[in-house]
Amino acid sequence: MTTDEPAGASAAPSLTARHPRVPADRLLAELAPPRHFAHESFDTYRPDVAHPSQRRALDRLREVADALAAPARAGRWWRRAAAPAAPAVYLDGGFGVGKTHLLASLAHAVGLERTVYGTFVELTNLVGALGFAPTVDALAAHRLVCIDEFELDDPGDTVLMSRLLRELADRGVALAATSNTLPGALGEGRFAAEDFLREIQALAARFEVLRIDGDDHRHRTVSTHAARLDDAAVRAAVAARPGATIDGFDALLDHLATVHPSRYGALLDGVPLVGLTGVHQVDRQDVALRLVVLVDRLYDRDVPVVLAGDDADLFTDAMLAGGYRKKYARALSRLAALTVQGAATTAAP
């Protein structure tokens, strides 16, 4: 990645000074399990004996991994039997039952060099950056494509992803997906399999649904309140961390509009802490959705955040009740967790 940044070091670098230019091969290389699942495997998944579906899902995914790892059988010249369809599995379960752990484990078992692993948003952004046909060609060079947090709240993106998956399946690429069910959404469809299968239509018959029952294994209370500090505390936290950045909230939001969302990860290269001042409620949907993508990339990279600003809710009530409510709820939960990490840095001696 290269950036257009002013010459000379700054005591307080900013994200708005970064204009990442990311080659296509890097965009693809970054499609891998998130950092906090980098060392997980089937062996580190602990099925709850009270919920046998967890063991069944684990065993079935081991079988899928073994099948994908096996070399392709050479056909005989006198028999041109059609090759069997590549596996396609959908992990259907509530929050905290280990769907992402199992999906990452499948990717590791098949081999990261043979697998593309990304969230629904990352893959739709990849299509936006590369174009549809080049994306299909790039992904089809792999044995397995994993889609975490498959989102059903944007009809256009869902149709796009359904078409992408159909093209990949037709080329013999194995597929695996999870849903994006969140704690606050448990009452409105804990298991999203029916919605998923309806939306992917032509592909529905190819997918095998692996239902995973159980409770949130972390047994945690999920907070959606991102802690706010004062400006002085944010600046002090940034000054204490070499490479940390500080930006005014409005300036950063304006800057995000000039950077393709597929490059938001590169925007954070080498950044150990992000500080923002002047944080306030966002009332425009396009701005809010770009902020959601940035929060996802911060979370994937475990980058702590410190915020200064008013105590108003980050998103409006209409947003939190609208069609993108799951995206906003996820962003609030993740940002709250990142500010807890950020606050811990200010408490350090």
Side-chain angles (χ1 to χ4, degrees), residues 191-242:
F191 301 103
E194 291 182 5
D195 293 335
F196 173 77
L197 295 176
R198 181 183 65 249
E199 294 298 337
I200 63 171
Q201 299 174 11
L203 273 176
R206 302 194 196 187
F207 269 85
E208 173 186 2
V209 175
L210 302 179
R211 178 162 173 164
I212 307 174
D213 299 286
D215 302 318
D216 182 353
H217 73 279
R218 286 160 286 204
H219 301 292
R220 62 177 182 173
T221 300
V222 177
S223 171
T224 57
H225 176 71
R228 310 289 168 85
L229 308 173
D230 57 36
D231 281 12
V234 168
R235 295 185 186 283
V238 169
R241 292 290 298 274

Side-chain angles (χ1 to χ4, degrees), residues 228-266:
R228 310 289 168 85
L229 308 173
D230 57 36
D231 281 12
V234 168
R235 295 185 186 283
V238 169
R241 292 290 298 274
T245 62
I246 187 165
D247 291 272
F249 191 55
D250 285 329
L252 179 62
L253 295 180
D254 289 343
H255 185 59
L256 292 179
T258 71
V259 180
H260 193 278
S262 65
R263 300 174 181 175
Y264 285 8

Side-chain angles (χ1 to χ4, degrees), residues 59-245:
D59 291 343
R60 176 60 185 136
L61 288 177
R62 286 185 185 274
E63 293 174 354
V64 170
D66 288 344
L68 294 178
R73 295 181 180 179
R76 298 182 181 276
W77 65 270
W78 66 83
R79 184 177 62 198
R80 296 183 179 179
V89 293
Y90 175 80
L91 308 184
D92 183 34
F95 184 78
V97 297
K99 301 189 302 298
T100 297
H101 185 149
L102 287 171
L103 191 67
S105 298
L106 176 62
H108 288 300
V110 173
L112 296 185
E113 72 284 355
R114 307 172 72 208
T115 301
V116 169
Y117 183 112
T119 64
F120 180 95
V121 171
E122 286 178 307
L123 290 171
T124 55
N125 285 339
L126 184 69
V127 175
L130 303 184
F132 186 82
T135 298
V136 172
D137 290 340
L139 299 185
H142 297 78
R143 189 71 183 92
L144 169 68
V145 171
C146 296
I147 309 101
D148 201 11
E149 300 174 354
F150 198 102
E151 298 186 355
L152 301 169
D153 49 13
D154 187 309
D157 282 348
T158 302
V159 170
L160 172 69
M161 186 61 69
S162 179
R163 181 185 168 203
L164 178 66
L165 296 186
R166 184 172 67 252
E167 295 269 358
L168 293 173
D170 288 345
R171 296 199 189 189
V173 178
L175 306 170
T178 74
S179 68
N180 66 339
T181 303
L182 290 166
L186 296 184
E188 58 181 50
R190 176 184 173 90
F191 301 103
E194 291 182 5
D195 293 335
F196 173 77
L197 295 176
R198 181 183 65 249
E199 294 298 337
I200 63 171
Q201 299 174 11
L203 273 176
R206 302 194 196 187
F207 269 85
E208 173 186 2
V209 175
L210 302 179
R211 178 162 173 164
I212 307 174
D213 299 286
D215 302 318
D216 182 353
H217 73 279
R218 286 160 286 204
H219 301 292
R220 62 177 182 173
T221 300
V222 177
S223 171
T224 57
H225 176 71
R228 310 289 168 85
L229 308 173
D230 57 36
D231 281 12
V234 168
R235 295 185 186 283
V238 169
R241 292 290 298 274
T245 62

Side-chain angles (χ1 to χ4, degrees), residues 21-31 126 129-130 134 138:
R21 299 190 299 271
V22 186
D25 56 353
R26 172 172 168 175
L27 289 176
L28 290 164
E30 288 185 336
L31 292 175
L126 184 69
L130 303 184

Side-chain angles (χ1 to χ4, degrees), residues 306-331:
V306 285
L307 305 177
D310 62 41
D311 284 328
D313 293 334
L314 192 57
F315 304 115
T316 66
D317 290 341
M319 290 177 182
L320 295 174
Y324 295 116
R325 60 191 179 277
K326 287 187 178 182
K327 290 179 187 285
Y328 296 134
R330 181 182 73 230

